[in-house]
Amino acid sequence: MVESTAEKTEKKVNVKDMTVIALVTAVICIIAPFSIPIAISPIPITLALFALFLAGIILGKWKGVVCTVIYLLLGMVGLPVFNGFSGGVQKLVGPTGGYLIGYLFLVFFTGLFVEKFPNKIPMYFVGGIIGIIVCYAFGTAWFMFAYTRSTGPVGLMAVLGWCVFPFIIPDLIKIALAYVLSGKVRKYAR
């Protein structure tokens, strides 16, 4: 008996997958708003990246991206799930919106390396680091564009000093903590 494409697709996304995606999305929405403002940057240190690393590790690349899209959509409609318990479309089109969109790449690369290199923990870190580099690049480019439009030209080194350099060590710690915590969570999710 030949199965239709719709039947094959239905098998790929089942109730268990939807439940795990919903639970991980809820965890992101609960953890992500917590942030600590820092004096040298318009961007606070947030727990969003920690939650998103967990999503990529637990769900893999595509389910993690779906989870992240749902999180971003919830924030866009005004739920207070972004840093500082904020929400709304203005967060995505504002100067830091590029980092929010960059979350998609972060989760994708984290999940990709978890799937491609099962049980090779050092490669998980490589995926997380590649994901954060792409997130930084996308977010920094958008920040420069938005800042230049609203305030005037700004140099790359100044933006890196505001938006990237203060976050490298905290983000590496978040990657490490996410991998440590995810070991048992990933087993239960499967």
Side-chain angles (χ1 to χ4, degrees):
M1 179 176 197
V2 177
E3 293 181 4
S4 69
T5 305
E7 289 172 345
K8 289 180 183 177
T9 303
E10 285 180 34
K11 287 183 179 181
K12 289 182 182 178
V13 180
N14 56 35
V15 174
K16 179 185 150 241
D17 290 337
M18 290 188 292
T19 303
V20 172
I21 288 169
L23 288 172
V24 173
T25 302
V27 168
I28 293 171
C29 291
I30 292 167
I31 294 175
F34 291 97
S35 58
I36 302 167
I38 56 175
I40 60 173
S41 175
I43 302 170
I45 294 176
T46 176
L47 290 177
L49 292 179
F50 170 72
L52 292 162
F53 286 126
L54 280 175
I57 296 165
I58 294 167
L59 298 174
K61 62 182 185 276
W62 293 118
K63 292 174 192 166
V65 167
V66 168
C67 182
T68 306
V69 167
I70 294 169
Y71 161 71
L72 293 173
L73 290 173
L74 290 171
M76 282 178 57
V77 298
L79 292 178
V81 296
F82 296 145
N83 68 355
F85 295 92
S86 61
V89 175
Q90 73 277 7
K91 291 296 274 190
L92 283 175
V93 297
T96 59
Y99 294 101
L100 293 171
I101 300 300
Y103 289 170
L104 296 166
F105 301 107
L106 180 135
V107 172
F108 177 82
F109 283 108
T110 301
L112 174 70
F113 274 69
V114 168
E115 290 175 5
K116 290 286 183 186
F117 304 100
N119 302 317
K120 294 186 179 173
I121 302 298
M123 293 308 292
Y124 295 1
F125 284 100
V126 171
I129 290 169
I130 290 171
I132 198 69
I133 288 170
V134 175
C135 182
Y136 283 165
F138 197 84
T140 301
W142 180 257
F143 186 91
M144 285 183 71
F145 170 75
Y147 190 89
T148 300
R149 280 186 56 201
S150 65
T151 308
V154 63
L156 176 61
M157 289 309 293
V159 174
L160 290 174
W162 297 335
C163 303
V164 175
F165 298 147
F167 301 94
I168 292 172
I169 299 299
D171 289 344
L172 291 174
I173 292 169
K174 291 173 200 171
I175 293 172
L177 289 175
Y179 285 112
V180 168
L181 180 63
S182 68
K184 293 189 179 201
V185 175
R186 190 170 163 82
K187 289 177 188 175
Y188 290 119
R190 287 186 171 182

